[in-house]
Amino acid sequence: MLTRGALERYARFYRLLSACLLIGTIAGIGFLGGTYVEVRKDLPDPENLEAYRPRLTTQIFSTEMMPDKTERHTLLGRVFKEDREPEELRNVPEFLQKATVAIEDRPFYRHRGIDPKGIMRAIVVNIRSGAMAQGGSTITQQLARNMWLTREKTIPRKLKEMLLAAELERRFSKAEILEMYLNEVYYGHGAYGVKRAARLFFNTSPKYLSLAQCALLAGLPRSPIALSPYSFPARARARRHQVLLAMVHQGFITPEQFKEADEEPLQPKLAKLKERGITAFKAPYFTHMVIRSLCDQYGDDQVYGGGLQVYTTLDMRAQEIAEEELTKGIESLRRQGAIRDGLTGQGAMCAVEVKTGNVLAMVGGVGPYEKTQYNRAHPGRKPFGRQPGSSFKPYVWATALEYGYGPNSVFSGSPISIADGTGKYWTPKNYSPRQGGSYTLRHALEESVNLVSVRIVKKLGVETVREKTSQMLNIPRERIRPFYSLALGANELSPLEQATGYCVFANGGERPTRNFIRRITTTWSGDIIFEPRPEYLRVIRQDTAVSMISMLRSVVTSGTGRRAYVEGQPACGKTGTTNSGRDVWWVGFTPDLSAAVWVGNDNNAPMPRGTGGGFCAPIWSRFMSRTCKELGFHGEFPSGSGVRSSKHGGGSDSEERKKDDGEDRGSRTVTICVSTGRQATSYCPATAERTFRSGQVPGRCTTHGGGAKGEGEVHKREHRSSAPAGDSGGGSYTVCAKSGLRAGPNCSQTIESSRAPSGTCHSCGSSGRDKPETKSDSKPESKKEN
């Protein structure tokens, strides 16, 4: 029996213990409360849980418009950080659902997000192993961790996981949680969610998975790398056996089903493993360009994880023809030794729909994309580093027409030297020494006469040409160099920019906005978030575009582009060949389609035999003939051009020229005095060619002395230069370099001078100025172009 003193000691001990327990409890509650508050700060707002969407794969498609106005789409590529596509639970086989529950969270349908027994079991295992070997996480906890938390094994992270799991259970049903889990979980090799996993491992949809395949997938989330059936097939099969056994114990399958599935071999059921990241299946140059554009517009996170469905303007029918014809053409040139062997000799092509600005085809190089990734068709952020040569001249000619000249306006193609302001002279040359004398603008464009182009720029002014050309090409004026050499294409343009620029002519003077995208929708809702409409900006007059169509048609029918014939279509276009044939081009159009072809060496090596008419025009011709037929193009040019397709019974080339030149419209081209606007005499200091309608031709200038009958015609014969409307004052004069007098029709070497000469040179010999000497038909056609 205890004494009174002993009882008092026990009582004091009990009171002390109770006080300690109370203090400890209070402290523990305070600690847990403080911990909860701190942990809760880092958790997402509960209201945002329902708005959460996992990272989804962005898919890029082509769009083929069928004859019945419906669309057909081809998958071009898939872009992702986590390769995931959502799948509804009703499309996931029951075997996969049950296998996941059996191996990951047996009491899933009984707990409220946290499994206390599982946690205690994990604690025992962790104590025995001396490390955080298990976490005791339920499916709901794993979902919370995958959505918002890291995978670090710490107590704060575990507390966050449990709190989120409880919140998820409060807001969602078990079926919704399981669906989110199956769409979120990582299965290995870049595949997130059951839909991509089924496609990656078995090349099928989830609903077609067998029991054995379901068991294999259900076992992978525990350790996707260590249990990979590709890297460790024995481990994967052992894990599958474990999952099937758990399904038997849970009563989800029978022993007979277990035995049949367990004996099923992994091979040949497994699909071939594919690479991760950006998967470009078709048209890789175009697809990667679209990806860059999307990232600039929406940001990398949205593109690589937003689940966009991007329907592009690319037409796979046109694309496949472009790839085939460009490859065939480049390989032929390589075999002939015309361009360098291997990947050095290259080509590029772009095609744009005239009426909409939609890019229908793009080929940025020939050969394996992995080895030729540089997009020569349109590099994107950096300007294309190749010169267009004479394919730039149509922009110069169009500018001249905008300032009053006509196809019959006459310019000299004789030698010229232009002072550069430092006492030195720039002396450009024609492609052929036989080119000289006087040319109409039509004839000069047909024969691609360099010195006519130089004189046009000299008379119009460099800034005038830069401004108008930048509008037609829709590029900054700074991209066009402020030198007279721009007349010969001494700039940098891409095939895509060229194809778009020529749309202006075919479209009656209106420039369409270039489009790569038809529309963008979202995977989750299918809502359209972007759908551009065709937009147009008038940059040249319609009568200018009509004249350009006629003149560029003449290039094909009787000029340097005779190999650019298109069956059943009125083809128009222009060659381009730079010094030593380093870059050769053909850019042209029909009423519906504009396309550009470039050929050259990546190392900028010369191609001595290279010409746009010989190298590029045949490729363009085959592409356009096949594509226009395949896509059913049969449009017409704007009225007044006089150019019609053979399908509609168009007139002869001479008839087309007459219409464009104004012979059947009663118009007349005369030389006028810039200062007075009246018909020029030989005394007028600055003159220009102008085309007037019948009855509107002005009278003679009486301001600048003289005035004898016939002087205007004499002046017209002597002066083949012109200036933009609005020029006034002294202007410039074409002077014979030998005599220093005003150049006569037979002067072989001329320069431009701002000082009025004292007279006209008559000492130089005859040179047959009315028409340049042409080469024999037996000589190669390509030698005539530039």
Side-chain angles (χ1 to χ4, degrees), residues 515-584:
N515 290 322
F516 307 114
I517 308 295
R518 286 186 181 270
R519 66 182 176 277
I520 301 175
T521 64
T522 61
T523 301
W524 284 108
S525 65
D527 294 339
I528 296 176
I529 62 175
F530 178 68
E531 187 174 22
R533 301 297 182 188
E535 295 180 1
Y536 307 92
L537 177 66
R538 177 161 296 284
V539 292
I540 59 175
R541 299 190 309 270
Q542 181 167 353
D543 64 307
T544 296
V546 165
S547 293
M548 289 304 303
I549 291 171
S550 179
M551 288 193 288
L552 290 169
R553 175 64 174 156
S554 297
V555 175
V556 177
T557 58
S558 55
T560 60
R562 287 189 286 270
R563 298 184 67 180
Y565 170 80
V566 178
E567 183 178 357
Q569 296 284 331
C572 309
K574 185 68 185 76
T575 53
T577 305
T578 63
N579 290 340
S580 303
R582 298 179 189 275
D583 300 283
V584 296

Side-chain angles (χ1 to χ4, degrees), residues 31-211:
F31 173 77
L32 291 175
T35 303
Y36 173 82
V37 171
E38 289 299 317
V39 169
R40 193 68 187 83
K41 290 179 180 178
D42 298 329
L43 296 180
D45 190 327
E47 298 301 325
N48 294 331
L49 296 181
E50 297 182 16
Y52 173 78
R53 291 290 183 269
R55 288 192 180 97
L56 299 178
T57 299
T58 288
Q59 299 189 98
I60 302 172
F61 300 91
S62 68
T63 305
E64 291 79 53
M65 300 300 299
M66 309 310 292
D68 60 358
K69 305 302 181 181
T70 60
E71 294 182 2
R72 185 184 70 186
H73 303 289
T74 303
L75 181 63
L76 300 178
R78 305 175 66 254
V79 184
F80 50 84
K81 287 183 179 178
E82 298 178 359
D83 190 5
R84 178 190 289 107
E85 293 180 56
E87 185 64 282
E88 295 181 2
L89 190 64
R90 59 188 176 90
N91 294 327
V92 178
E94 192 173 351
F95 279 142
L96 182 52
Q97 298 180 43
K98 290 180 176 180
T100 301
V101 171
I103 197 64
E104 291 292 339
D105 187 6
R106 295 182 184 181
F108 172 69
Y109 291 102
R110 299 190 299 271
H111 64 64
R112 299 302 300 170
I114 302 171
D115 179 17
K117 291 183 179 180
I119 294 175
M120 293 304 299
R121 186 170 55 251
I123 291 174
V124 172
V125 172
N126 293 337
I127 291 175
R128 289 178 177 175
S129 64
M132 294 287 287
Q134 288 189 11
S137 296
T138 63
I139 285 178
T140 313
Q141 288 176 264
Q142 293 181 52
L143 175 62
R145 180 179 65 233
N146 291 337
M147 283 183 167
W148 291 284
L149 304 175
T150 66
R151 300 187 68 87
E152 60 178 348
K153 295 181 178 180
T154 62
I155 293 177
R157 196 272 295 166
K158 196 67 178 179
L159 290 173
K160 295 176 186 178
E161 181 182 292
M162 295 168 66
L163 291 172
L164 282 174
E167 191 65 38
L168 287 172
E169 289 279 350
R170 190 175 71 85
R171 291 177 176 270
F172 299 98
S173 67
K174 289 292 185 179
E176 290 173 326
I177 291 173
L178 183 59
E179 179 181 300
M180 287 191 287
Y181 174 82
L182 291 173
N183 278 311
E184 180 71 31
V185 70
Y186 181 54
Y187 288 92
H189 296 287
Y192 289 80
V194 293
K195 188 170 185 177
R196 289 311 307 164
R199 182 65 62 187
L200 173 72
F201 290 103
F202 303 111
N203 197 28
T204 188
S205 297
K207 60 182 177 181
Y208 298 119
L209 293 172
S210 67
L211 171 58

Side-chain angles (χ1 to χ4, degrees), residues 87 151 258 337 428 456 461 496 608 668 724 744:
E87 185 64 282
R151 300 187 68 87
F258 164 81
I456 293 173
L496 179 58
R668 178 185 172 195

Side-chain angles (χ1 to χ4, degrees), residues 751-774:
I751 60 175
E752 298 296 307
S753 173
S754 60
R755 180 176 300 177
S758 58
T760 301
C761 175
H762 299 287
S763 61
C764 293
S766 176
S767 62
R769 64 180 178 82
D770 290 332
K771 186 176 181 179
E773 184 178 358
T774 57

